[in-house]
Amino acid sequence: MSPAHVIEPTYEAIKRRVMNGEWAGGARLDSTRIAETLGVSVTPVRDSLYRLAGERIVDFTHGEGFHVHRLTETELRDMLELNLILLLAAIATARGQGEETNPAFADDADPAAVLFAAVARRSGNAEIAAAIAALNDRLHAARRLDADILEEVATEHEVLGAALVGEMYPDGSARGIVLRYHERRAREAATYARRLAERAKS
């Protein structure tokens, strides 16, 4: 196992590249080539890829090595359904906790991920928070395509923010807003899967 001061930045660099679409879904991840690019040995690269395989962000097959996970239509629908279930549970338990009302957005942040993570933390349930964080990572590549596939995504994020941070809507409308967010993407799951299969960062 590589030392932490080597493995952590290597892991983060590879994860960021995969999540941001540097390699297309299904692309083979050559440990030696990645190590040369990052200026590290092959060992921390392989350690990182095994870790990412455990997180289901990359795939590993004996004899074939590591590949970027190829998200299918069915899998995307399943992840959206699970994310919705977890968020509704978080919303139900977050009310009245009065924690963190204005999450900070970095320039390159995924607004939905930031909002969903904030709601998960407000639930006070560490397992919900961890599960939503993992889904945020696995859904990141698909979310990068939102503006290409859906209309008024920026407005949608504003509505989500109004519903999910600060005081939860007492009439329960936050639940409806979160439901519509997921339903819109589930209806276009086939388009997302196709675009992800075709798209590679130039």
Side-chain angles (χ1 to χ4, degrees):
M1 179 65 71
S2 305
H5 73 277
V6 176
I7 185 67
E8 286 305 319
T10 302
Y11 162 79
E12 290 294 341
I14 297 171
K15 182 177 181 179
R16 184 169 57 251
R17 284 169 165 80
V18 172
M19 288 173 58
N20 288 336
E22 184 161 324
W23 299 289
R28 185 173 182 275
L29 298 169
D30 186 309
S31 300
T32 301
R33 189 168 298 175
I34 294 172
E36 290 172 355
T37 300
L38 298 180
V40 297
S41 70
V42 172
T43 300
V45 171
R46 286 181 180 154
D47 289 343
S48 298
L49 290 172
Y50 277 118
R51 181 173 168 184
L52 290 167
E55 296 170 5
R56 301 175 69 185
I57 292 174
V58 305
D59 297 326
F60 173 74
T61 306
H62 289 287
E64 297 183 10
F66 296 97
H67 292 79
V68 176
H69 182 70
R70 180 175 288 146
L71 190 63
T72 66
E73 176 184 353
T74 299
E75 185 180 16
L76 178 55
R77 289 180 191 278
D78 287 348
M79 283 198 291
L80 287 168
E81 182 179 10
L82 178 57
N83 199 61
L84 173 61
I85 290 168
L86 291 169
L87 281 169
L88 293 179
I91 289 169
T93 56
R95 296 185 180 181
Q97 297 216 2
E99 193 184 312
E100 176 182 356
T101 58
N102 292 299
F105 290 87
D107 290 340
D108 61 346
D110 171 359
V114 174
L115 291 168
F116 295 161
V119 173
R121 287 191 295 273
R122 286 183 59 170
S123 74
N125 186 310
E127 294 301 322
I128 289 177
I132 287 178
L135 283 168
N136 277 339
D137 288 346
R138 294 178 63 205
L139 287 166
H140 182 78
R143 287 178 182 157
R144 290 179 69 246
L145 299 176
D146 276 354
D148 295 334
I149 297 171
L150 304 173
E151 296 180 354
E152 299 182 347
V153 172
T155 301
E156 181 182 45
H157 288 151
E158 290 177 7
V159 172
L160 269 173
L164 294 179
V165 300
E167 292 299 319
M168 294 292 182
Y169 287 175
D171 60 2
S173 56
R175 295 171 62 87
I177 291 167
V178 170
L179 177 61
R180 285 192 293 277
Y181 170 94
H182 290 81
E183 286 179 337
R184 286 220 301 161
R185 284 148 183 83
R187 284 195 296 268
E188 298 292 342
T191 304
Y192 278 95
R194 185 178 68 252
R195 295 277 185 90
L196 286 168
E198 295 169 349
R199 186 166 179 165
K201 198 172 185 179
S202 58

